[in-house]
Amino acid sequence: MGGYAVIKGSAYTLAAAPDMVIHNGTTQTTERVVNPESEYLKKLPEHLRSFEDVVNYIPHQVYIGNLTPESLKETPFPWYDKKAEAASSKGKFGEIIAQDEFLGLIRICDVFDLVKLEKNFAEGVKAKLAANELIGAEKAAVLDKNTDDIEALKKLVEEEHAEGLYHNNELVGAVKRAHEVDVNLSAHVILENLVTKASSVLSLLNLVKVTGIDPLEVEYVIDCCEEACGDMNQRGGGNFAKAAAETAGFLNANGSDVRGFCAGPAHALLSAASLVKAGTFKTVVVTGGGCTAKLGMNGKDHVKKGLPILEDVVAGFSVLITADDGVSPIIRNDITGRHTVGTGSSPQAVITSLVTDPLDRSKLKITDVDKYAVEMQNPDITKPAGAGDVPEANYKMIAALGVKRGELERSQLADFVKCHGMVGWAPTQGHIPSGVPYLGFAREDILSGKISRVMIIGKGSLFLGRMTNQFDGVSFLIEANDGKGQDTEGFDENKVKSLIAESMRKFAEGLLSE
């Protein structure tokens, strides 16, 4: 057995979804029930962004790796009224796809023929997806099937409880219910789950491109999204991981789902690292798709203040965890922070359990960690909604603990936030911002020698399930690889022989000198 598990690469993807904001975001669907004639719903369409605007948005360019968190920090705030120079829908960590392509990918991910698309729309999308190197003609061929004319689609939506799929404010498809009675298989839930699966598949395909991994080498996939897949007999039973792995072509993989609200990714990464370090699997992928419910979540505040709807993308990410290669950053799953049942829910108690407790056990100071990746929420979204700058608030709390512990002077608070923190750039899709958006940059920064130690912090709100009033959270360190714990199961025989010969030569030289 080798050393610690390592991070071999990460992928990040976005799918533009302006029509889904209107028809599927919980803020909007609730408003249509409570106040169908509201001014907000009337004004909403005027505040939707084009695909070009979505691509040009600076935080999105950071998310897919074309810009760095440092460059975003240097950009005058706010960012919604600025455009990234030389923006591209393709990035070194992933890609941004248009809404019509995403609807086509949803159809590709539907194995029960529950998604119907309008014939002409399907034909156009098929050509686009076939041209995408990560999807290709073979996967896109399914768009020839299960198509219908617009009148048949209208009947499904208006008379048969189907969920409409819209593009440019026109009906272009429908998602049928999978059961007449089971609310867990209603058209609404099926659509939510297909969106999550499709965004996960998109990130998995990009992970293959980013890392160069052979999909057949992946042995286990862990999904950490916030949706629930199952029927009335096992609501939330799963398994998004294996479903997405199937579509992405990870044919040798098994998998399971890990849930922890916003802290889900941190729990999943720890599980993956532990499985690899234990030797259970050599190659594990952690993945998480986005959700429709949180599209336009803060839309009312954005519209009220004249901003565009900034929560108009479905995000996804995937991370490749493997046995120690002697080079890639290691996951120190032995240095973990835990928000236990008895921790308490005050901000200080939460940060103490997640940051200072694990550092104390390792005899490290707060300043020994080069970067802290907390909830990397985009302040362009949260500040107009009254939630403030979430990452900055976390960094100030960590810095305050540093002062209390005598590891920082009060005059160093601002510098700590600047040097050990980052501005947020991630979409507000629950689990998506929770530490993981920095993994791609963290790997690069550690490999380049720019930094040597990072702490990933995931925090969750378990009280949302109405089963407990508890908060939740876990954290762990990522460090530079010293090369000493490299997995040797597949050792190089010639290299071993050479080392033995060298040792024998030196031994002989020693005898002769005597």
Side-chain angles (χ1 to χ4, degrees):
M1 184 176 69
Y4 293 98
V6 300
I7 297 178
K8 293 284 284 187
S10 309
Y12 303 92
T13 57
L14 300 169
D19 286 86
M20 286 187 176
V21 171
I22 297 174
H23 297 281
N24 307 113
T26 299
T27 296
Q28 291 67 240
T29 54
T30 302
E31 185 75 357
R32 276 201 296 276
V33 173
V34 176
N35 188 12
E37 299 301 319
S38 76
E39 287 299 310
Y40 168 60
L41 292 177
K42 293 175 183 176
K43 293 179 179 178
L44 178 62
E46 302 169 13
H47 292 258
L48 296 175
R49 296 189 290 188
S50 67
F51 179 62
E52 182 182 6
D53 290 337
V54 167
V55 171
N56 287 332
Y57 187 49
I58 297 173
H60 289 172
Q61 288 296 301
V62 176
Y63 191 73
I64 64 172
N66 286 334
L67 294 175
T68 65
E70 288 79 11
S71 67
L72 182 60
K73 182 171 60 176
E74 296 166 1
T75 305
F77 188 83
W79 306 314
Y80 67 85
D81 56 352
K82 300 172 181 65
K83 291 184 178 181
E85 294 183 9
S88 172
S89 62
K90 305 288 185 180
K92 63 181 175 181
F93 294 150
E95 66 178 318
I96 306 172
I97 65 171
Q99 180 176 253
D100 58 345
E101 296 174 83
F102 188 53
L103 294 176
L105 183 57
I106 289 172
R107 173 65 189 96
I108 290 172
C109 290
D110 167 38
V111 298
F112 279 86
D113 290 334
L114 297 171
V115 178
K116 280 186 171 288
L117 296 177
E118 193 274 326
K119 293 177 182 178
N120 294 328
F121 176 80
E123 185 177 346
V125 173
K126 177 189 173 185
K128 289 184 178 182
L129 293 178
N132 185 316
E133 61 176 327
L134 301 183
I135 297 174
E138 185 177 347
K139 284 186 173 67
V142 74
L143 291 165
D144 287 330
K145 305 174 183 177
N146 226 34
T147 59
D148 224 324
D149 58 45
I150 194 66
E151 294 304 319
L153 293 174
K154 286 181 179 178
K155 183 178 180 182
L156 284 173
V157 173
E158 295 170 4
E159 301 178 20
E160 299 181 30
H161 306 285
E163 282 279 324
L165 297 175
Y166 299 85
H167 185 58
N168 294 332
N169 207 31
E170 294 184 359
L171 184 69
V172 295
V175 178
K176 299 187 295 183
R177 59 185 177 179
H179 195 279
E180 292 185 0
V181 178
D182 190 346
V183 295
N184 302 289
L185 296 175
S186 67
H188 173 80
V189 174
I190 292 294
L191 173 57
E192 281 189 340
N193 288 351
L194 282 172
V195 165
T196 294
K197 178 185 174 182
S199 48
S200 176
V201 166
L202 184 64
S203 69
L204 289 172
L205 294 173
N206 275 272
L207 184 69
V208 171
K209 179 182 178 181
V210 169
T211 63
I213 185 75
D214 181 349
L216 300 182
E217 291 181 26
V218 177
E219 298 173 287
Y220 204 75
V221 177
I222 302 176
D223 180 275
C224 59
C225 76
E226 291 190 318
E227 304 293 11
C229 189
D231 65 12
M232 68 175 80
N233 293 312
Q234 48 266 317
R235 180 178 66 251
N239 183 318
F240 275 109
K242 200 166 185 180
E246 175 189 28
T247 305
F250 291 19
L251 301 184
N252 290 328
N254 197 338
S256 61
D257 298 347
V258 168
R259 294 291 176 267
F261 286 95
C262 298
H267 284 289
L269 286 164
L270 272 178
S271 297
S274 300
L275 286 169
V276 170
K277 190 175 189 302
T280 308
F281 303 112
K282 283 188 176 181
T283 306
V284 179
V285 168
V286 172
T287 186
C291 58
T292 56
K294 291 176 179 175
L295 291 169
M297 185 168 56
N298 294 289
K300 287 184 178 181
D301 291 300
H302 294 163
V303 169
K304 188 185 299 182
K305 296 179 180 178
L307 278 63
I309 295 292
L310 298 173
E311 297 160 306
D312 57 355
V313 291
V314 177
F317 74 88
S318 295
V319 184
L320 177 61
I321 311 295
T322 72
D324 196 345
D325 61 2
V327 177
S328 298
I330 61 174
I331 297 177
R332 292 294 303 270
N333 58 313
D334 59 332
I335 305 179
T336 61
R338 301 174 299 127
H339 183 282
T340 66
V341 172
T343 294
S345 59
S346 71
Q348 181 175 330
V350 173
I351 293 297
T352 297
S353 67
L354 297 180
V355 177
T356 60
D357 284 355
L359 293 180
D360 285 342
R361 290 195 297 271
S362 305
K363 295 180 171 56
L364 294 171
K365 297 179 180 179
I366 284 177
T367 51
D368 289 332
V369 176
D370 298 302
K371 288 289 184 182
Y372 290 88
V374 293
E375 301 160 287
M376 303 312 303
Q377 303 271 15
N378 177 358
D380 227 10
I381 296 173
T382 58
K383 290 183 79 172
D389 188 324
V390 178
E392 184 180 58
N394 279 277
Y395 294 130
K396 286 182 177 179
M397 177 59 70
I398 295 171
L401 283 177
V403 172
K404 184 177 180 180
R405 290 158 57 90
E407 296 172 5
L408 285 172
E409 297 293 333
R410 187 172 296 276
S411 60
Q412 296 176 300
L413 279 171
D415 286 339
F416 177 88
V417 174
K418 182 179 179 181
C419 296
H420 296 266
M422 295 169 282
V423 295
W425 65 88
T428 51
Q429 294 226 311
H431 59 298
I432 296 294
S434 199
V436 292
Y438 181 55
L439 289 176
F441 295 110
R443 185 175 189 275
E444 287 189 340
D445 291 345
I446 290 174
L447 288 176
S448 69
K450 183 178 177 181
I451 59 175
S452 61
R453 186 178 288 126
V454 171
M455 179 176 278
I456 304 296
I457 302 170
K459 293 191 291 181
S461 307
L462 300 187
F463 52 82
L464 296 172
R466 306 304 194 272
M467 293 289 109
T468 175
N469 284 313
Q470 288 273 318
F471 281 90
D472 184 39
V474 289
S475 65
F476 56 89
L477 289 180
I478 298 172
E479 294 182 343
N481 197 322
D482 61 10
K484 296 179 180 178
Q486 184 174 1
D487 182 27
T488 56
E489 186 174 325
F491 68 91
D492 187 328
E493 184 177 350
N494 292 327
K495 186 174 181 180
V496 172
K497 287 180 178 179
S498 177
L499 290 171
I500 293 173
E502 178 67 13
S503 297
M504 292 296 291
R505 183 182 65 78
K506 290 182 177 179
F507 178 68
E509 289 176 350
L511 289 175
L512 288 173
S513 65
E514 292 177 4

